[in-house]
């Protein structure tokens, strides 16, 4: 009897295989015992829909996999633990990328600071030797006044008339004395209109804080004579930390900058060095990294319109401002056009001012001042006058010197100036708004200016 039953079962299995429709399920029942289910649809039942079985289970598994994939692609919430795991992994990956990027930037910054330390040590040694030399030198005899020398002819350099530092040789830098030249009283009719001397600088107004470590230093600018397609309210910004500085962000206006929504991001073809860039007549002017090359980048065509070396200019840490940061060449724009502030071996570290042709970048005329560039924090030019700021860290510092290119004369002053965030890496005159723009320790700040009547 048992043999007959086995034969029947085997026969049924064979028949099922032949029809390719038989199915055998194995599973556990609620009491944990094995349960086998064997079914063979009859020819009339073949059209009946199946409500379960391995095919449906397989389909269900594939469907939930697809749901997870779609959710990942659309960034949506799957609501399930599998979706949460995928999201967690994605976030972890992004965090890792961000941390790695910041680590690279900090590494670059560390290298820069080490180089700067070396430079400072070198300068200290030079100064020590110079002090030694001066100590050993006999006192000079009283000599009659030296008659004024004729103007310098080569490369249009103008000797500052009446600047006694020139008569004691190029190394006799003028000390910034405590005595202060009186600034003329402001004339109400000329305040904030036309040209004048800076009488006072307002409190810094904060507009935006940079989002990442790349924005610890930077430069932000506005074109006083914008060219289509960019409007007059457009604000531009470059974060300058790192060795691959080439992104120029454009914002429709100050409000968009404050909100952090750029409307344009341009990728510059050559790397940018430090915080000395400026904008003028639809072009960005900047110093190419590790060179004395100046570049005029046309914003409309997004291409280089001119490129020229600034003759003899120091670069990459030779003659920076006191905070370093490769601020060797500082470009700016005022009522009289495009300027470069820098130094050279020939000027032995003293600030040289050159007026540049905005189209060709050629030097039109130069002035050599008697202020050592690395003794001041930064400078800006208004109405052809250079102003230097004494400290980049002190919360209460001063504008300590003015040099007038019209008269080729300099004088010490003491106009209060605030470094609210105690690390000011860029200060420039914004002709469009007649304000100072500065970048102070991640913060984009502006200062109102009060201009007085010219002497
Ligand atoms: Ca500047």
């Amino acid at each position: 009897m048992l043999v007959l039953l086995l034969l029947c079962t085997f026969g049924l299995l064979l028949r099922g295989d032949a029809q390719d429709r038989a199915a055998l399920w194995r599973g556990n029942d609620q009491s944990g015992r094995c349960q086998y289910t064997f079914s063979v649809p009859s020819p009339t039942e073949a059209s009946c829909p199946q409500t379960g079985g391995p095919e449906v289970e397989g389909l269900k598994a594939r469907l939930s996999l697809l749901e997870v994939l779609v959710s990942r692609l659309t960034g949506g919430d799957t609501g399930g633990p599998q979706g949460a795991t995928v999201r967690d992994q994605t976030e972890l990956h992004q965090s890792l990328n961000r941390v790695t990027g910041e680590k690279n930037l900090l590494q670059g910054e560390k290298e820069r600071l080490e180089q700067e330390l070396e430079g400072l040590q070198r300068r200290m040694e030079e100064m020590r030797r110079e002090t030694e030399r001066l100590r050993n030198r006999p006192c000079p005899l009283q000599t009659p006044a030296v008659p004024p020398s004729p103007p310098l002819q080569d490369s249009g350099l103008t000797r500052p008339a009446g600047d006694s530092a020139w008569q004691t040789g190029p190394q006799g830098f003028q000390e910034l004395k405590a005595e202060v030249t009186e600034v003329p009283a402001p004339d109400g009719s000329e305040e904030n209109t036309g040209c004048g001397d800076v009488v006072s600088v307002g409190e810094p107004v904060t507009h935006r804080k940079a989002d990442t470590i790349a924005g610890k230093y930077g430069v932000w600018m506005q074109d006083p004579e914008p060219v289509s397609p960019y409007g007059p309210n457009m604000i531009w910004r470059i974060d300058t930390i790192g060795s691959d500085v080439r992104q120029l962000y454009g914002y429709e206006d100050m409000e968009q900058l404050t909100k952090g929504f750029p409307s344009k991001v341009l990728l510059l073809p050559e790397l940018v060095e430090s915080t000395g860039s400026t904008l003028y007549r639809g072009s960005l002017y900047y110093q190419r990294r590790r060179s004395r090359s100046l570049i005029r980048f046309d914003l409309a065509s997004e291409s280089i319109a001119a490129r020229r070396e600034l003759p003899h200019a120091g670069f990459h840490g030779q003659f920076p401002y006191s905070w370093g940061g490769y601020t060797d060449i500082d470009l700016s724009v005022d009522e009289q056009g495009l300027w470069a502030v820098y130094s050279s071996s020939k000027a032995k570290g003293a600030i040289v001012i050159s007026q540049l042709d905005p189209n060709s970048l050629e030097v039109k005329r130069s002035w050599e001042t008697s202020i050592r560039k690395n003794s001041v924090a930064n400078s800006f030019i208004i109405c052809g006058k250079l102003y230097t700021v004494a400290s980049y860290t002190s919360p209460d510092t001063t504008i300590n010197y003015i040099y007038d290119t019209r008269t080729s004369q300099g004088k010490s002053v003491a106009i209060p100036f605030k470094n609210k965030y105690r690390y000011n890496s860029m200060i420039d005159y914004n002709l469009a708004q007649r304000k100072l723009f500065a970048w102070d320790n991640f913060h984009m700040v502006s200062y109102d200016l009060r201009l007085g009547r010219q002497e």
Side-chain angles (χ1 to χ4, degrees):
M1 184 65 189
L2 183 65
V3 173
L4 187 63
L5 185 64
L6 281 170
L7 277 172
C8 286
T9 310
F10 191 60
L12 282 170
L13 276 171
L14 283 174
R15 186 168 174 265
D17 281 341
Q19 289 188 343
D20 203 22
R21 283 181 190 165
L24 176 69
W25 288 285
R26 191 186 71 173
N28 295 331
D29 66 8
Q30 286 181 344
S31 60
R33 288 176 303 183
C34 282
Q35 194 176 44
Y36 290 90
T37 310
F38 180 69
S39 72
V40 181
S42 71
T44 51
E45 287 170 330
S47 58
C48 292
Q50 286 209 14
T51 55
E55 286 170 1
V56 173
E57 291 305 315
L59 276 173
K60 276 184 184 168
R62 271 178 290 179
L63 189 61
S64 43
L65 266 175
L66 275 171
E67 279 174 348
V68 170
L69 280 171
V70 169
S71 171
R72 275 179 65 181
L73 288 170
T74 57
D77 188 357
T78 61
Q82 208 171 357
T85 309
V86 172
R87 271 201 315 281
D88 288 349
Q89 282 177 350
T90 312
E91 278 168 19
L92 270 174
H93 204 65
Q94 284 171 347
S95 300
L96 184 67
N97 284 345
R98 196 166 53 243
V99 170
T100 311
E102 288 186 358
K103 184 189 149 226
N104 291 341
L105 285 171
L106 286 170
Q107 184 67 31
E109 182 61 5
K110 184 179 160 227
E111 282 167 18
R112 185 189 73 73
L113 288 170
E114 281 169 354
Q115 280 183 352
E116 246 175 69
L117 180 66
E118 275 174 34
L120 282 171
Q121 283 167 340
R122 226 173 21 245
R123 282 208 287 271
M124 263 181 69
E125 182 56 26
E126 281 167 15
M127 286 171 81
R128 193 192 59 74
R129 278 202 297 266
E130 178 67 10
T131 311
E132 198 65 29
R133 195 181 64 77
L134 287 170
R135 271 210 197 107
N136 295 333
R137 200 171 66 173
C139 289
L141 293 169
Q142 195 72 29
T143 52
V146 180
S149 309
L152 295 178
Q153 294 303 316
D154 62 323
S155 59
L157 195 68
T158 301
R159 191 185 295 272
D163 196 333
S164 59
W166 278 86
Q167 290 158 18
T168 55
Q171 288 184 8
F173 289 103
Q174 178 179 327
E175 292 298 323
L176 295 174
K177 295 170 195 160
E179 63 185 72
V180 172
T181 308
E182 206 162 303
V183 177
D187 180 326
S189 64
E190 290 186 6
E191 270 184 52
N192 294 323
T193 58
C195 274
D197 283 350
V198 172
V199 175
S200 65
V201 179
E203 294 285 320
V205 178
T206 307
H207 298 274
R208 173 82 189 159
K209 186 182 179 190
D211 321 88
T212 65
I213 181 75
K216 180 169 166 57
Y217 318 138
V219 51
W220 68 305
M221 315 151 267
Q222 190 172 6
D223 192 341
E225 295 180 37
V227 172
S228 179
Y230 301 107
N233 298 324
M234 197 83 183
I235 305 282
W236 298 85
R237 154 191 178 184
I238 305 174
D239 294 354
T240 59
I241 284 225
S243 54
D244 189 42
V245 180
R246 59 165 81 234
Q247 280 181 317
L248 174 66
Y249 296 92
Y251 301 84
E252 290 287 345
D253 51 31
M254 292 287 270
E255 197 186 333
Q256 293 304 306
L257 174 97
T258 304
K259 288 178 179 169
F261 299 144
S263 60
K264 189 84 189 172
V265 182
L266 297 176
L267 209 57
L268 301 167
E270 301 275 4
L271 295 176
V272 179
E273 183 87 297
S274 201
T275 61
S277 312
T278 194
L279 274 166
Y280 191 44
R281 295 179 180 168
S283 287
L284 173 80
Y285 295 83
Y286 70 96
Q287 179 196 348
R288 184 175 166 266
R289 185 171 152 82
R290 285 182 182 270
S291 77
R292 58 171 65 93
S293 288
L294 303 181
I295 288 176
R296 175 159 85 86
F297 179 79
D298 182 69
L299 297 177
S301 64
E302 298 181 20
S303 60
I304 293 178
R307 174 202 301 260
R308 188 176 291 272
E309 286 208 339
L310 184 58
H312 314 296
F315 62 92
H316 207 65
Q318 245 181 311
F319 303 111
Y321 289 126
S322 55
W323 75 273
Y326 306 135
T327 47
D328 297 68
I329 299 178
D330 189 7
L331 300 167
S332 64
V333 167
D334 77 346
E335 293 79 356
Q336 298 177 15
L338 180 65
W339 302 89
V341 170
Y342 59 100
S343 188
S344 63
S345 300
K346 205 168 127 201
K348 294 188 164 55
I351 286 182
V352 177
I353 308 167
S354 288
Q355 192 162 28
L356 307 180
D357 181 307
N359 288 317
S360 66
L361 296 168
E362 269 178 300
V363 172
K364 287 156 76 176
R365 193 179 168 190
S366 291
W367 294 259
E368 194 171 307
T369 73
S370 54
I371 294 298
R372 196 187 283 270
K373 187 156 179 285
N374 65 19
S375 74
V376 297
N378 214 303
S379 76
F380 53 90
I381 299 180
I382 304 178
C383 302
K385 289 182 181 176
L386 174 90
Y387 296 81
T388 63
V389 176
S391 165
Y392 61 97
T393 51
S394 169
D396 290 294
T397 185
T398 55
I399 291 170
N400 58 356
Y401 184 77
I402 303 180
Y403 184 88
D404 189 349
T405 57
R406 188 176 56 86
T407 60
S408 302
Q409 284 190 329
K411 65 183 179 187
S412 299
V413 291
I415 302 165
F417 185 93
K418 287 189 171 17
N419 294 309
K420 186 175 177 184
Y421 300 102
R422 304 189 175 204
Y423 208 101
N424 215 331
S425 60
M426 165 249 159
I427 307 171
D428 261 335
Y429 178 48
N430 177 348
L431 174 59
Q433 295 189 25
R434 292 186 177 271
K435 288 181 181 186
L436 292 181
F437 269 25
W439 195 293
D440 190 357
N441 209 359
F442 291 99
H443 296 84
M444 282 145 261
V445 295
S446 70
Y447 301 77
D448 281 340
L449 285 171
R450 201 165 161 212
L451 301 180
R453 184 164 43 87
Q454 280 187 299
E455 287 173 296

